[in-house]
Amino acid sequence: LLQLVNVTRVYHSDAGPVPALGPLSLDLHPGEFVAIMGPSGSGKSTLLALAGALDQPTAGQVILAGQNLAGATPTALAELRRRVIGYIFQDLNLLPGLTAAENVALPLELDETPAASARQAATQALTEVGLAHLAQRFPDDLSGGEQQRVAIARAFVGHRRLLLADEPTGALDSVTGENVMRLLHSQTRAGRTALLVTHNAAHAAWADRVIYLRDGLVADEVVAPQP
Amino acid sequence: LLQLVNVTRVYHSDAGPVPALGPLSLDLHPGEFVAIMGPSGSGKSTLLALAGALDQPTAGQVILAGQNLAGATPTALAELRRRVIGYIFQDLNLLPGLTAAENVALPLELDETPAASARQAATQALTEVGLAHLAQRFPDDLSGGEQQRVAIARAFVGHRRLLLADEPTGALDSVTGENVMRLLHSQTRAGRTALLVTHNAAHAAWADRVIYLRDGLVADEVVAPQP
Ligand SMILES: Nc1ncnc2c1ncn2[C@@H]1O[C@H](COP(=O)(O)OP(=O)(O)OP(=O)(O)O)[C@@H](O)[C@H]1O
Ligand SMILES: Nc1ncnc2c1ncn2[C@@H]1O[C@H](COP(=O)(O)OP(=O)(O)OP(=O)(O)O)[C@@H](O)[C@H]1O
Ligand SMILES: [Mg+2]
Ligand SMILES: [Mg+2]
């Protein structure tokens, strides 16, 4: 479903080039649940941005759902981001002017899903993260962990095949965090594919394999024992 | 140094009153390191906002450095926030138009510290969190964990007596997170007082005692065994 082929990403800052990632290759198959761990600044969010067509590599190829992103038109990229990929951003990116339910329904609304079924899907997703009672609240009036759960629910709505989660449990207590991992894991058993960045080894344990980054390169890879 | 006496905080939302915290009492002595744990939405950030004079209780008193905040003038409150309290916010609150070093130096600059010593203190604080090489970067060009460390460094500059940290390690890998806890702990051994909200029991273990919140009330309190 997703292939990163020798990708490199160099940022250009005032102080000079910043080699944030690569060369790195990754193969993600449908239904697979892969976790990425590594020190702060090791390139995890950069990797996720390349995987999610939110950023372009400085070198190498990103192939998503059979499509080489380098050749993709802006329209095709926008459609991929809307229909194929569900994001949970490290800084959440909720829209403050929309309620929790409206934020969660937004990907479906943008994809021209009928309003009624979009709202129903949003309600179900919020229920799964324990926030049905806060559907009408605005993000500014929610706790940090509640905001994070709204962002998680938003990634789960619809039938997008690839879930990209950048540290989705950082603001959650262990019980709530475990619940999110259980949800994510069951989604992949049902056929979705997930790439999860996490600092929490207990959460990485839910994945089929764990890739360890250090200084933008793969330092290690561990395949989970089959139960 | 800090006393919360039967404080209650009720938010007023469109759907009706939200009893977020209390009645709750807390006594924090100079040099003490107290951790607050609890489920998402249990009132931890609300408690910290009251302790830090960023919010007023609906009922009860907050007494900081001998001063009852209820009677304090806006000027007195601003001075407390600038001189006595160092904050690490759950959503960081870095100024995007300032570099990392400028963000860290800001509390000192606002307190009319000479620019040279403010910059020196900022450099030292950034070095302690491993970010000396990123001093000239802007927050938008930093990783999530790097941004969090800038916010931590900012709270450490100057000689403010009370450190209020709202989940300061959520975006950090375990090694970096441990380093921050070691810094915070050594600050309290040197005389500072710290109130730390965390979901990470391993980090709460650095504290002298741990208070557990549930639904806005104290559910339990554990005193750390003396080594
Ligand atoms: N501005 C607000 N208006 C209405 N309700 C609010 C507001 N801010 C917080 N709340 C509610 O108050 C309760 C406590 O919020 P608080 O932010 O203190 O929780 P928390 O323990 O810090 O949670 P987390 O671990 O998720 O950060 C939550 O139920 C939240 O929904
Ligand atoms: N816009 C940018 N300009 C310059 N350098 C950047 C930019 N964004 C990130 N970097 C640098 O690239 C490196 C990798 O960043 P990235 O955000 O991928 O790290 P990360 O592994 O997600 O870290 P964290 O765990 O702290 O979130 C870091 O050293 C960071 O300072
Ligand atoms: Mg990151
Ligand atoms: Mg909070």
Side-chain angles (χ1 to χ4, degrees):
Chain A
L1 180 62
L2 172 72
Q3 264 177 305
L4 303 180
V5 185
N6 278 326
V7 296
T8 299
R9 179 62 167 105
V10 179
Y11 293 112
H12 296 284
S13 75
D14 303 328
V18 178
L21 189 74
L24 179 146
S25 295
L26 173 71
D27 245 334
L28 201 60
H29 306 107
E32 223 186 344
F33 183 179
V34 175
I36 314 265
M37 295 191 78
S40 172
S42 55
K44 306 180 297 296
S45 296
T46 301
L47 169 56
L48 233 60
L50 295 178
L54 292 175
D55 189 21
Q56 291 180 359
T58 312
Q61 290 83 44
V62 179
I63 302 161
L64 177 61
Q67 208 173 346
N68 186 332
L69 298 189
T73 62
T75 315
L77 284 175
E79 177 151 341
L80 275 174
R81 285 184 219 119
R82 214 174 52 233
R83 291 212 172 155
V84 175
I85 310 167
Y87 301 91
I88 302 169
F89 296 98
Q90 195 167 4
D91 63 355
L92 304 188
N93 242 339
L94 297 177
L95 298 180
L98 300 183
T99 65
E102 288 166 345
N103 265 287
V104 174
L106 195 58
L108 297 178
E109 306 260 3
L110 290 176
D111 210 32
E112 299 174 353
T113 305
S117 57
R119 288 307 155 84
Q120 186 177 356
T123 303
Q124 178 175 338
L126 282 169
T127 305
E128 283 175 346
V129 295
L131 293 183
H133 63 296
L134 298 180
Q136 302 313 315
R137 279 268 188 96
F138 288 91
D140 284 351
D141 296 340
L142 292 172
S143 79
E146 290 163 349
Q147 290 174 359
Q148 195 163 46
R149 283 183 278 163
V150 172
I152 291 163
R154 179 179 59 184
F156 284 169
V157 288
H159 299 291
R160 290 164 295 168
R161 281 178 277 167
L162 178 61
L163 294 173
L164 300 177
D166 200 344
E167 300 184 37
T169 55
L172 302 177
D173 59 273
S174 53
V175 171
T176 313
E178 273 299 292
N179 195 42
V180 168
M181 284 301 119
R182 188 173 308 112
L183 277 173
L184 192 60
H185 183 257
S186 65
Q187 296 267 349
T188 59
R189 291 304 85 114
R192 288 206 212 190
T193 311
L195 196 53
L196 165 77
V197 169
T198 183
H199 286 305
N200 190 325
H203 293 167
W206 286 86
D208 303 319
R209 55 186 164 116
V210 183
I211 294 170
Y212 293 86
L213 290 191
R214 178 184 297 280
D215 297 325
L217 300 168
V218 174
D220 202 0
E221 186 168 335
V222 177
V223 178
Q226 292 313 310
Chain B
L1 180 62
L2 172 73
Q3 264 178 303
L4 303 179
V5 184
N6 278 326
V7 296
T8 299
R9 178 63 167 106
V10 179
Y11 293 112
H12 296 283
S13 75
D14 304 326
V18 178
L21 188 75
L24 179 146
S25 294
L26 172 70
D27 245 334
L28 201 59
H29 306 107
E32 226 187 341
F33 183 0
V34 174
I36 313 266
M37 295 190 78
S40 171
S42 55
K44 305 179 298 296
S45 296
T46 301
L47 168 57
L48 233 60
L50 295 178
L54 293 174
D55 188 23
Q56 291 182 359
T58 313
Q61 289 83 42
V62 179
I63 302 163
L64 177 61
Q67 207 171 347
N68 186 331
L69 298 188
T73 62
T75 316
L77 284 176
E79 177 152 339
L80 275 174
R81 284 184 219 121
R82 214 173 53 233
R83 293 212 168 153
V84 177
I85 310 167
Y87 301 91
I88 302 168
F89 295 98
Q90 193 165 5
D91 63 355
L92 305 189
N93 243 340
L94 297 178
L95 298 180
L98 300 184
T99 65
E102 289 167 344
N103 265 285
V104 174
L106 194 59
L108 297 178
E109 305 261 2
L110 290 176
D111 210 30
E112 298 175 355
T113 304
S117 58
R119 287 308 154 84
Q120 186 178 355
T123 303
Q124 178 177 340
L126 281 169
T127 306
E128 283 176 345
V129 295
L131 294 183
H133 63 296
L134 299 181
Q136 302 313 316
R137 281 264 190 97
F138 289 91
D140 284 350
D141 297 339
L142 292 172
S143 79
E146 290 163 348
Q147 291 175 0
Q148 195 163 47
R149 282 183 276 162
V150 173
I152 291 162
R154 180 179 60 184
F156 283 169
V157 288
H159 301 292
R160 289 165 293 169
R161 282 179 277 168
L162 179 62
L163 294 173
L164 301 177
D166 200 343
E167 300 185 37
T169 56
L172 302 178
D173 58 274
S174 53
V175 171
T176 313
E178 274 298 293
N179 195 42
V180 169
M181 283 302 119
R182 188 174 307 113
L183 277 173
L184 191 60
H185 182 258
S186 67
Q187 296 267 349
T188 59
R189 290 306 85 114
R192 288 208 212 189
T193 310
L195 195 55
L196 165 78
V197 169
T198 183
H199 286 304
N200 190 325
H203 293 167
W206 287 86
D208 302 319
R209 54 185 165 117
V210 183
I211 295 171
Y212 294 86
L213 291 191
R214 178 184 297 280
D215 298 324
L217 300 169
V218 175
D220 203 0
E221 187 169 335
V222 177
V223 179
Q226 292 313 309

